[in-house]
Amino acid sequence: MAEKDQEKKEDLSRRRFLKNSGIAVGSLAVGGALGSMIPWGTEEKDTNQAANQGANYNQALMFFTQAEFQTVEAAAERIFPEDDNGPGARDLGVGYYIDHQMAGSYGFNARDYMQPPFFHGEKEQGYQGRLKRREIFRIALREVQNYSHQEYGEGFAELTEEQQDSVLQAFQEDNVNVTTISASGFFDLLRSMTLEGVYSDPLYGGNINMDGWRMRNYPGNQMNYTDIIDKDFQEIEPESLRDHM
């Protein structure tokens, strides 16, 4: 009985401490662990939470400047434009996917052997230079802007769709004189990353709302198919890796 009475006293003491602590810290505790016990400011807090529920914090630049991002986004949109089948690269967040890749290990060529000596490789061997992908993008985007101003007097993002197509085609066909990189090599890299952004898991920044998968009726990253494997063919809603975290 003595032990039970002691436990009861400790429990009451613990509750009293929490209650008194909540009163003592006052408004400073709002939003913290103790703040949940205090009713002050809850209306404003709830309003802020509601406003942030729809925010996509994955859409934040990590490498590109705003001007570079606008050029990448516009170029990706011309490679994968919006049509009757669904959204284009811009609405799918492809620009953010490419930006995040450039900021990460892919942009640093972390898995590639990048030490000298460097030799001129055959075209089928792929890129053989010393520049990292992030450096290629930074140089190429500047050249895209220079070529756009040279040909049309405006930056790439301000050009008409037909003019943008003309600029990209000039890079694709190596009709742009770029000294440090291959113009067509940059276009191939941009095209490849655009398609990756369209069809990658939304966790990586692109394929917003999994609409890229929906256009292909692709189910995404399902954990398993045990509940439908013995049934007739059916379309299922795609799932992201985030859905299983």
Side-chain angles (χ1 to χ4, degrees), residues 15-30:
R15 292 180 185 177
R16 189 178 299 110
F17 168 76
L18 290 174
K19 179 179 179 181
N20 292 339
S21 298
I23 295 173
V25 297
S27 60
L28 294 178
V30 174

Side-chain angles (χ1 to χ4, degrees), residues 83-104:
D83 58 18
D84 294 338
N85 295 313
R90 179 179 284 107
D91 289 337
L92 288 171
V94 169
Y96 290 103
Y97 168 82
I98 297 176
D99 171 78
H100 295 178
Q101 292 299 308
M102 291 301 104

Side-chain angles (χ1 to χ4, degrees), residues 42-224:
T42 54
E43 182 177 351
E44 181 180 355
K45 181 180 177 182
D46 291 342
T47 302
N48 292 335
Q49 286 180 342
N52 291 330
Q53 281 180 352
N56 186 349
Y57 295 106
N58 208 12
Q59 294 186 11
L61 295 182
M62 300 179 180
F63 174 70
F64 292 134
T65 64
Q66 282 291 342
E68 290 171 337
F69 176 75
Q70 290 171 6
T71 301
V72 168
E73 192 175 50
E77 180 68 16
R78 295 313 304 146
I79 293 173
F80 196 93
E82 179 182 5
D83 58 18
D84 294 338
N85 295 313
R90 179 179 284 107
D91 289 337
L92 288 171
V94 169
Y96 290 103
Y97 168 82
I98 297 176
D99 171 78
H100 295 178
Q101 292 299 308
M102 291 301 104
S105 59
Y106 184 79
F108 283 98
N109 293 65
R111 296 188 178 184
D112 300 333
Y113 184 81
M114 300 293 291
Q115 301 300 319
F118 297 96
F119 298 99
H120 178 73
E122 299 298 329
K123 190 173 183 178
E124 58 268 15
Q125 290 180 295
Y127 178 67
Q128 298 290 314
R130 68 184 68 203
L131 293 176
K132 298 178 175 63
R133 294 184 184 95
R134 65 200 331 252
E135 296 170 331
I136 293 174
F137 257 88
R138 186 137 278 168
I139 293 170
L141 292 176
R142 184 173 63 245
E143 295 299 331
V144 168
Q145 287 293 82
N146 291 341
Y147 186 80
S148 298
H149 279 284
Q150 174 187 325
E151 294 295 315
Y152 301 106
E154 290 186 295
F156 184 83
E158 286 74 45
L159 301 182
T160 65
E161 293 179 353
E162 291 75 14
Q163 291 171 337
Q164 290 175 345
D165 290 345
S166 178
V167 172
L168 292 176
Q169 186 175 3
F171 273 77
Q172 182 183 22
E173 297 175 353
D174 274 323
N175 293 331
V176 183
N177 185 19
V178 185
T179 57
T180 53
I181 63 172
S182 163
S184 62
F186 164 70
F187 176 84
D188 291 341
L189 179 60
L190 174 63
R191 180 182 182 276
S192 175
M193 297 199 70
T194 296
L195 295 178
E196 289 174 13
V198 169
Y199 297 118
S200 66
D201 193 284
L203 196 64
Y204 300 104
N207 191 14
I208 292 177
N209 296 326
M210 297 178 281
D211 286 336
W213 288 345
R214 286 190 173 89
M215 285 188 284
R216 294 277 185 172
N217 291 324
Y218 178 66
N221 292 297
Q222 303 284 333
M223 289 296 289
N224 59 67

